[in-house]
mmCIF file of all heavy atoms in Angstrom:
data_model
loop_
_atom_site.group_PDB
_atom_site.id
_atom_site.type_symbol
_atom_site.label_atom_id
_atom_site.label_comp_id
_atom_site.label_asym_id
_atom_site.label_seq_id
_atom_site.Cartn_x
_atom_site.Cartn_y
_atom_site.Cartn_z
ATOM 1 N N GLU A 1246 117.392 128.282 -196.333
ATOM 2 C CA GLU A 1246 118.799 127.956 -195.831
ATOM 3 C C GLU A 1246 118.923 128.334 -194.338
ATOM 4 O O GLU A 1246 120.026 128.601 -193.941
ATOM 5 C CB GLU A 1246 119.780 128.700 -196.747
ATOM 6 C CG GLU A 1246 119.834 128.265 -198.147
ATOM 7 C CD GLU A 1246 120.537 126.946 -198.254
ATOM 8 O OE1 GLU A 1246 120.918 126.358 -197.268
ATOM 9 O OE2 GLU A 1246 120.582 126.357 -199.355
ATOM 10 N N ARG A 1247 117.880 128.258 -193.480
ATOM 11 C CA ARG A 1247 118.033 128.658 -192.199
ATOM 12 C C ARG A 1247 119.110 127.775 -191.448
ATOM 13 O O ARG A 1247 119.786 128.252 -190.506
ATOM 14 C CB ARG A 1247 116.772 128.489 -191.377
ATOM 15 C CG ARG A 1247 116.202 127.134 -191.359
ATOM 16 C CD ARG A 1247 114.789 127.115 -190.580
ATOM 17 N NE ARG A 1247 114.270 125.785 -190.478
ATOM 18 C CZ ARG A 1247 113.018 125.497 -189.995
ATOM 19 N NH1 ARG A 1247 112.305 126.505 -189.508
ATOM 20 N NH2 ARG A 1247 112.661 124.248 -190.003
ATOM 21 N N ALA A 1248 119.284 126.520 -191.898
ATOM 22 C CA ALA A 1248 120.288 125.684 -191.150
ATOM 23 C C ALA A 1248 121.739 126.000 -191.579
ATOM 24 O O ALA A 1248 122.595 125.656 -190.775
ATOM 25 C CB ALA A 1248 120.041 124.221 -191.494
ATOM 26 N N ARG A 1249 121.881 126.588 -192.749
ATOM 27 C CA ARG A 1249 123.207 126.948 -193.263
ATOM 28 C C ARG A 1249 123.742 128.267 -193.358
ATOM 29 O O ARG A 1249 124.851 128.597 -193.350
ATOM 30 C CB ARG A 1249 123.479 126.129 -194.653
ATOM 31 C CG ARG A 1249 123.350 124.688 -194.623
ATOM 32 C CD ARG A 1249 123.743 124.078 -195.884
ATOM 33 N NE ARG A 1249 122.803 124.177 -196.976
ATOM 34 C CZ ARG A 1249 122.670 123.392 -197.928
ATOM 35 N NH1 ARG A 1249 123.511 122.381 -198.137
ATOM 36 N NH2 ARG A 1249 121.761 123.610 -198.958
ATOM 37 N N ILE A 1250 122.665 129.220 -193.397
ATOM 38 C CA ILE A 1250 123.032 130.484 -193.925
ATOM 39 C C ILE A 1250 123.889 131.302 -192.885
ATOM 40 O O ILE A 1250 124.822 132.030 -193.269
ATOM 41 C CB ILE A 1250 121.759 131.395 -194.117
ATOM 42 C CG1 ILE A 1250 122.183 132.602 -194.949
ATOM 43 C CG2 ILE A 1250 121.078 131.782 -192.870
ATOM 44 C CD1 ILE A 1250 122.718 132.280 -196.314
ATOM 45 N N LEU A 1251 123.806 131.128 -191.618
ATOM 46 C CA LEU A 1251 124.606 131.807 -190.637
ATOM 47 C C LEU A 1251 126.069 131.325 -190.710
ATOM 48 O O LEU A 1251 126.958 132.063 -190.717
ATOM 49 C CB LEU A 1251 124.030 131.764 -189.225
ATOM 50 C CG LEU A 1251 122.746 132.614 -188.998
ATOM 51 C CD1 LEU A 1251 122.370 132.541 -187.533
ATOM 52 C CD2 LEU A 1251 123.099 134.007 -189.330
ATOM 53 N N PRO A 1252 126.247 129.939 -190.517
ATOM 54 C CA PRO A 1252 127.707 129.479 -190.746
ATOM 55 C C PRO A 1252 128.313 129.872 -192.015
ATOM 56 O O PRO A 1252 129.459 130.222 -192.077
ATOM 57 C CB PRO A 1252 127.476 127.906 -190.605
ATOM 58 C CG PRO A 1252 126.179 127.779 -189.826
ATOM 59 C CD PRO A 1252 125.379 128.840 -190.227
ATOM 60 N N THR A 1253 127.462 129.917 -193.118
ATOM 61 C CA THR A 1253 128.077 130.357 -194.488
ATOM 62 C C THR A 1253 128.487 131.826 -194.365
ATOM 63 O O THR A 1253 129.522 132.124 -194.837
ATOM 64 C CB THR A 1253 126.918 130.154 -195.513
ATOM 65 O OG1 THR A 1253 126.826 128.687 -195.649
ATOM 66 C CG2 THR A 1253 127.415 130.761 -196.826
ATOM 67 N N LEU A 1254 127.553 132.662 -193.827
ATOM 68 C CA LEU A 1254 127.919 134.083 -193.762
ATOM 69 C C LEU A 1254 129.120 134.392 -192.835
ATOM 70 O O LEU A 1254 129.987 135.237 -193.131
ATOM 71 C CB LEU A 1254 126.693 134.932 -193.288
ATOM 72 C CG LEU A 1254 125.586 135.062 -194.378
ATOM 73 C CD1 LEU A 1254 124.415 135.805 -193.698
ATOM 74 C CD2 LEU A 1254 126.034 135.736 -195.622
ATOM 75 N N GLU A 1255 129.204 133.677 -191.721
ATOM 76 C CA GLU A 1255 130.314 133.727 -190.911
ATOM 77 C C GLU A 1255 131.675 133.343 -191.591
ATOM 78 O O GLU A 1255 132.637 134.069 -191.420
ATOM 79 C CB GLU A 1255 130.211 132.898 -189.666
ATOM 80 C CG GLU A 1255 129.086 133.378 -188.625
ATOM 81 C CD GLU A 1255 128.688 132.322 -187.623
ATOM 82 O OE1 GLU A 1255 129.253 131.203 -187.707
ATOM 83 O OE2 GLU A 1255 127.796 132.626 -186.798
ATOM 84 N N ALA A 1256 131.634 132.284 -192.295
ATOM 85 C CA ALA A 1256 132.803 131.937 -193.035
ATOM 86 C C ALA A 1256 133.145 132.851 -194.223
ATOM 87 O O ALA A 1256 134.309 133.219 -194.415
ATOM 88 C CB ALA A 1256 132.571 130.511 -193.680
ATOM 89 N N VAL A 1257 132.093 133.399 -194.925
ATOM 90 C CA VAL A 1257 132.369 134.388 -195.945
ATOM 91 C C VAL A 1257 132.996 135.632 -195.451
ATOM 92 O O VAL A 1257 134.011 136.224 -195.911
ATOM 93 C CB VAL A 1257 131.150 134.634 -196.725
ATOM 94 C CG1 VAL A 1257 131.311 135.781 -197.794
ATOM 95 C CG2 VAL A 1257 130.645 133.435 -197.592
ATOM 96 N N ILE A 1258 132.435 136.171 -194.314
ATOM 97 C CA ILE A 1258 132.891 137.392 -193.760
ATOM 98 C C ILE A 1258 134.322 137.273 -193.173
ATOM 99 O O ILE A 1258 135.134 138.114 -193.350
ATOM 100 C CB ILE A 1258 131.986 137.993 -192.736
ATOM 101 C CG1 ILE A 1258 130.664 138.363 -193.318
ATOM 102 C CG2 ILE A 1258 132.606 139.137 -191.912
ATOM 103 C CD1 ILE A 1258 130.802 139.476 -194.430
ATOM 104 N N ALA A 1259 134.535 136.058 -192.526
ATOM 105 C CA ALA A 1259 135.943 135.748 -192.086
ATOM 106 C C ALA A 1259 136.925 135.847 -193.155
ATOM 107 O O ALA A 1259 138.033 136.395 -193.063
ATOM 108 C CB ALA A 1259 135.839 134.527 -191.272
ATOM 109 N N ALA A 1260 136.525 135.214 -194.309
ATOM 110 C CA ALA A 1260 137.471 135.266 -195.477
ATOM 111 C C ALA A 1260 137.706 136.667 -195.979
ATOM 112 O O ALA A 1260 138.861 136.962 -196.331
ATOM 113 C CB ALA A 1260 136.908 134.189 -196.572
ATOM 114 N N VAL A 1261 136.635 137.329 -196.161
ATOM 115 C CA VAL A 1261 136.702 138.741 -196.669
ATOM 116 C C VAL A 1261 137.672 139.603 -195.791
ATOM 117 O O VAL A 1261 138.564 140.261 -196.358
ATOM 118 C CB VAL A 1261 135.355 139.414 -196.626
ATOM 119 C CG1 VAL A 1261 135.420 140.903 -196.855
ATOM 120 C CG2 VAL A 1261 134.414 138.889 -197.832
ATOM 121 N N ARG A 1262 137.614 139.434 -194.484
ATOM 122 C CA ARG A 1262 138.383 140.208 -193.663
ATOM 123 C C ARG A 1262 139.737 139.666 -193.568
ATOM 124 O O ARG A 1262 140.756 140.462 -193.521
ATOM 125 C CB ARG A 1262 137.704 140.349 -192.308
ATOM 126 C CG ARG A 1262 136.366 141.077 -192.376
ATOM 127 C CD ARG A 1262 135.608 141.119 -191.039
ATOM 128 N NE ARG A 1262 134.347 141.794 -191.150
ATOM 129 C CZ ARG A 1262 133.391 141.920 -190.199
ATOM 130 N NH1 ARG A 1262 133.727 141.300 -189.049
ATOM 131 N NH2 ARG A 1262 132.321 142.600 -190.424
ATOM 132 N N SER A 1263 140.011 138.429 -193.489
ATOM 133 C CA SER A 1263 141.374 137.873 -193.389
ATOM 134 C C SER A 1263 142.158 138.024 -194.655
ATOM 135 O O SER A 1263 143.386 138.340 -194.572
ATOM 136 C CB SER A 1263 141.308 136.310 -193.078
ATOM 137 O OG SER A 1263 140.731 135.599 -194.143
ATOM 138 N N HIS A 1264 141.517 137.994 -195.857
ATOM 139 C CA HIS A 1264 142.160 138.305 -197.124
ATOM 140 C C HIS A 1264 142.330 139.680 -197.386
ATOM 141 O O HIS A 1264 143.047 140.084 -198.330
ATOM 142 C CB HIS A 1264 141.485 137.560 -198.229
ATOM 143 C CG HIS A 1264 141.680 136.041 -198.308
ATOM 144 N ND1 HIS A 1264 142.761 135.468 -198.756
ATOM 145 C CD2 HIS A 1264 140.793 135.080 -197.798
ATOM 146 C CE1 HIS A 1264 142.627 134.070 -198.657
ATOM 147 N NE2 HIS A 1264 141.431 133.892 -198.123
ATOM 148 N N GLY A 1265 141.627 140.592 -196.693
ATOM 149 C CA GLY A 1265 141.620 141.977 -197.018
ATOM 150 C C GLY A 1265 140.880 142.309 -198.297
ATOM 151 O O GLY A 1265 141.259 143.377 -198.933
ATOM 152 N N TRP A 1266 140.008 141.534 -198.671
ATOM 153 C CA TRP A 1266 139.174 141.834 -199.837
ATOM 154 C C TRP A 1266 138.216 143.008 -199.530
ATOM 155 O O TRP A 1266 137.433 143.047 -198.536
ATOM 156 C CB TRP A 1266 138.223 140.636 -200.300
ATOM 157 C CG TRP A 1266 138.946 139.459 -200.663
ATOM 158 C CD1 TRP A 1266 140.208 139.374 -201.222
ATOM 159 C CD2 TRP A 1266 138.500 138.116 -200.509
ATOM 160 N NE1 TRP A 1266 140.533 137.969 -201.402
ATOM 161 C CE2 TRP A 1266 139.450 137.189 -201.033
ATOM 162 C CE3 TRP A 1266 137.316 137.517 -200.110
ATOM 163 C CZ2 TRP A 1266 139.383 135.811 -201.044
ATOM 164 C CZ3 TRP A 1266 137.169 136.117 -200.062
ATOM 165 C CH2 TRP A 1266 138.179 135.311 -200.461
ATOM 166 N N PHE A 1267 138.242 144.059 -200.382
ATOM 167 C CA PHE A 1267 137.356 145.118 -200.354
ATOM 168 C C PHE A 1267 135.977 144.591 -200.994
ATOM 169 O O PHE A 1267 135.907 144.726 -202.263
ATOM 170 C CB PHE A 1267 137.868 146.447 -200.978
ATOM 171 C CG PHE A 1267 136.850 147.546 -200.899
ATOM 172 C CD1 PHE A 1267 135.993 147.710 -199.887
ATOM 173 C CD2 PHE A 1267 137.030 148.594 -201.862
ATOM 174 C CE1 PHE A 1267 135.211 148.826 -199.748
ATOM 175 C CE2 PHE A 1267 136.194 149.700 -201.730
ATOM 176 C CZ PHE A 1267 135.264 149.849 -200.686
ATOM 177 N N ALA A 1268 135.129 144.035 -200.278
ATOM 178 C CA ALA A 1268 133.988 143.274 -200.812
ATOM 179 C C ALA A 1268 132.675 143.632 -200.243
ATOM 180 O O ALA A 1268 132.616 143.966 -199.061
ATOM 181 C CB ALA A 1268 134.334 141.777 -200.724
ATOM 182 N N GLU A 1269 131.639 143.320 -201.087
ATOM 183 C CA GLU A 1269 130.296 143.221 -200.454
ATOM 184 C C GLU A 1269 129.823 141.842 -200.642
ATOM 185 O O GLU A 1269 130.247 141.040 -201.514
ATOM 186 C CB GLU A 1269 129.263 144.232 -201.354
ATOM 187 C CG GLU A 1269 129.215 143.863 -202.843
ATOM 188 C CD GLU A 1269 128.145 144.622 -203.487
ATOM 189 O OE1 GLU A 1269 127.286 145.352 -202.846
ATOM 190 O OE2 GLU A 1269 128.036 144.499 -204.645
ATOM 191 N N VAL A 1270 128.828 141.465 -199.847
ATOM 192 C CA VAL A 1270 128.329 140.074 -199.865
ATOM 193 C C VAL A 1270 126.778 140.231 -200.002
ATOM 194 O O VAL A 1270 126.136 140.874 -199.148
ATOM 195 C CB VAL A 1270 128.633 139.244 -198.502
ATOM 196 C CG1 VAL A 1270 128.004 137.908 -198.631
ATOM 197 C CG2 VAL A 1270 130.118 139.193 -198.350
ATOM 198 N N ILE A 1271 126.229 139.726 -201.142
ATOM 199 C CA ILE A 1271 124.765 139.887 -201.434
ATOM 200 C C ILE A 1271 124.156 138.443 -201.238
ATOM 201 O O ILE A 1271 124.432 137.535 -201.999
ATOM 202 C CB ILE A 1271 124.644 140.389 -202.840
ATOM 203 C CG1 ILE A 1271 125.356 141.713 -203.031
ATOM 204 C CG2 ILE A 1271 123.179 140.442 -203.078
ATOM 205 C CD1 ILE A 1271 125.303 142.108 -204.473
ATOM 206 N N VAL A 1272 123.218 138.390 -200.355
ATOM 207 C CA VAL A 1272 122.467 137.186 -200.211
ATOM 208 C C VAL A 1272 121.089 137.416 -201.009
ATOM 209 O O VAL A 1272 120.388 138.359 -200.721
ATOM 210 C CB VAL A 1272 122.102 136.867 -198.758
ATOM 211 C CG1 VAL A 1272 121.222 135.593 -198.740
ATOM 212 C CG2 VAL A 1272 123.434 136.627 -198.036
ATOM 213 N N VAL A 1273 120.833 136.549 -201.989
ATOM 214 C CA VAL A 1273 119.628 136.706 -202.751
ATOM 215 C C VAL A 1273 118.634 135.637 -202.153
ATOM 216 O O VAL A 1273 118.852 134.387 -202.488
ATOM 217 C CB VAL A 1273 119.837 136.523 -204.231
ATOM 218 C CG1 VAL A 1273 118.548 136.760 -204.985
ATOM 219 C CG2 VAL A 1273 120.892 137.488 -204.681
ATOM 220 N N ASN A 1274 117.661 136.084 -201.471
ATOM 221 C CA ASN A 1274 116.540 135.129 -200.937
ATOM 222 C C ASN A 1274 115.575 134.852 -201.993
ATOM 223 O O ASN A 1274 114.866 135.706 -202.484
ATOM 224 C CB ASN A 1274 115.909 135.848 -199.715
ATOM 225 C CG ASN A 1274 114.945 134.951 -199.088
ATOM 226 O OD1 ASN A 1274 115.069 133.749 -199.104
ATOM 227 N ND2 ASN A 1274 113.758 135.513 -198.613
ATOM 228 N N ASP A 1275 115.478 133.637 -202.322
ATOM 229 C CA ASP A 1275 114.663 133.149 -203.379
ATOM 230 C C ASP A 1275 113.345 132.654 -202.963
ATOM 231 O O ASP A 1275 112.877 131.539 -203.141
ATOM 232 C CB ASP A 1275 115.370 131.957 -204.217
ATOM 233 C CG ASP A 1275 114.645 131.698 -205.519
ATOM 234 O OD1 ASP A 1275 113.903 132.453 -206.134
ATOM 235 O OD2 ASP A 1275 114.861 130.511 -205.959
ATOM 236 N N GLY A 1276 112.527 133.527 -202.276
ATOM 237 C CA GLY A 1276 111.192 133.289 -201.860
ATOM 238 C C GLY A 1276 111.177 132.240 -200.723
ATOM 239 O O GLY A 1276 110.247 131.383 -200.631
#
């Protein structure tokens, strides 16, 4: 997912912080 993973993580972290979710984000790299 090299083409998508950074924009995806940026969007997820932005949502976590804007919503105030006390959250962890786990990326599972499938080989």
Side-chain angles (χ1 to χ4, degrees):
E1246 292 288 355
R1247 66 180 177 185
R1249 294 189 288 203
I1250 196 61
L1251 289 182
T1253 291
L1254 289 177
E1255 289 168 358
V1257 171
I1258 292 302
V1261 166
R1262 295 175 181 176
S1263 66
H1264 287 280
W1266 298 332
F1267 181 27
E1269 63 172 350
V1270 179
I1271 304 171
V1272 179
V1273 183
N1274 180 35
D1275 190 25

